[in-house]
Amino acid sequence: MTVDIAIKEVEYNLKLVFLGPPGAGKGTQAAYIAEAGAIPTISTGAMLREAIANKTELGKLADSLISKGELVPDEVIIGVVKDRLKLDDCKNGYILDGFPRTVKQAEALDEMLPDAIDIALSLEVPDEDIIERLTGRRECEKCKATFHIKNNPSTKGDICDKCGGKLIQRADDSAETIKNRMSVYHAQTEPIKDYYKKLGKLVCVDGVGSVEQVRTALFKALGL
Ligand code: ADP
Ligand code: ADP
Ligand code: ZN
């Protein structure tokens, strides 16, 4: 006999920004929080890659910038996020992954919505770990789940164990582009930490350790 147990989803009503260098584990950890709290993850990088795949105007603009490791212009991405946050699924909270990426974007977010953000969570990972994480990263072509060839492999090799899709390497995860993404991060994105610190919203979590260890530390820091 099987017994049906209705599991009530806990809705956090949490508005979270993930900060941290490329490859820090933002997408990996955001997926756990989003799943547990039934809130969407808004990844501007994923939205831009989808636009490139669909050859939209936005995609055409973003393509060469992303492959060089440069940012797309603030006003463009601010418009994309503004439209996304208006959708119904954002009403109980959201996780922003990859946005804001400049202080101007952080300011625009605060102008968009009153109390746009409760917590800015910074995943702290030193530069020397980033190259290994990014060069070993693989993404499912179909469901976009993220793996790592050594640290977080799929049980099925280069096939996604969540959906059976093919795992591929992102075009911008090449050694040359990674170098530029790191310097763009330090110059343009890292100052956002100060922005949220001044607002009393910054929480820093050590992003070094296994995926599980970081997940535990994050949930603890968020009081979940
Ligand atoms: P990662 O997960 O490695 O940090 P993302 O998927 O967040 O990378 O972003 C990939 C690329 O998309 C960035 O290098 C940048 O070119 C572009 N991009 C994503 N989000 C933004 C943003 N908020 N502002 C400007 N460019 C962005
Ligand atoms: P971001 O979204 O910050 O760019 P990802 O979540 O895509 O980062 O993670 C980058 C790569 O590092 C992926 O291949 C992922 O599987 C791997 N990774 C994530 N968390 C850890 C961790 N704690 N230790 C080692 N590798 C990790
Ligand atoms: Zn998949």
Side-chain angles (χ1 to χ4, degrees):
M1 197 183 83
T2 56
V3 181
D4 286 328
I5 303 170
I7 300 172
K8 193 176 176 300
E9 279 176 339
V10 183
E11 286 188 354
Y12 295 156
N13 211 346
L14 178 69
K15 290 176 266 176
L16 182 77
V17 162
F18 252 112
L19 302 175
K26 302 181 293 295
T28 303
Q29 299 296 338
Y32 295 130
I33 299 172
E35 190 186 13
I39 52 176
T41 299
I42 298 171
S43 161
T44 44
M47 291 167 88
L48 292 170
R49 283 187 290 280
E50 200 185 326
I52 293 171
N54 293 334
K55 299 189 166 59
T56 65
E57 283 307 310
L58 173 66
K60 282 179 210 158
L61 170 86
D63 199 1
S64 66
L65 292 166
I66 291 187
S67 56
K68 282 184 282 197
E70 298 292 332
L71 300 182
V72 306
D74 284 333
E75 58 277 15
V76 173
I77 201 75
I78 287 166
V80 168
V81 171
K82 201 170 182 176
D83 288 344
R84 180 64 186 86
L85 290 176
K86 283 181 190 151
L87 300 188
D88 231 29
D89 64 341
C90 292
K91 66 179 189 304
N92 291 322
Y94 40 78
I95 301 170
L96 293 177
D97 168 12
F99 181 94
R101 236 181 175 93
T102 62
V103 172
K104 193 166 168 215
Q105 292 178 19
E107 287 166 351
L109 179 62
D110 280 333
E111 282 161 24
M112 253 178 241
L113 291 169
D115 303 318
I117 290 307
D118 303 318
I119 298 175
L121 229 161
S122 174
L123 266 184
E124 307 281 315
V125 178
D127 285 9
E128 52 270 29
D129 291 357
I130 292 301
I131 306 252
E132 193 252 347
R133 286 197 187 187
L134 288 180
T135 49
R137 171 158 67 184
R138 298 292 181 272
E139 187 179 82
C140 173
E141 226 174 15
K142 232 161 100 186
C143 77
K144 311 297 173 195
T146 300
F147 298 87
H148 189 280
I149 48 171
K150 274 198 257 149
N151 307 333
N152 191 19
S154 165
T155 54
K156 297 177 183 152
D158 57 4
I159 299 294
C160 174
D161 57 17
K162 294 189 173 77
C163 81
K166 203 172 126 201
L167 300 188
I168 54 164
Q169 186 166 28
R170 268 171 49 179
D172 59 341
D173 281 344
S174 65
E176 194 48 42
T177 304
I178 290 168
K179 253 172 72 186
N180 193 39
R181 283 160 69 201
M182 291 307 300
S183 45
V184 167
Y185 170 76
H186 288 302
Q188 300 190 52
T189 306
E190 211 171 14
I192 300 180
K193 280 168 66 176
D194 256 349
Y195 177 86
Y196 286 114
K197 193 174 178 185
K198 284 187 188 130
L199 295 175
K201 293 183 177 178
L202 183 72
V203 175
C204 296
V205 171
D206 186 5
V208 180
S210 70
V211 171
E212 269 311 309
Q213 282 168 334
V214 176
R215 178 188 180 173
T216 305
L218 260 173
F219 274 64
K220 197 171 159 207
L222 290 171
L224 302 173

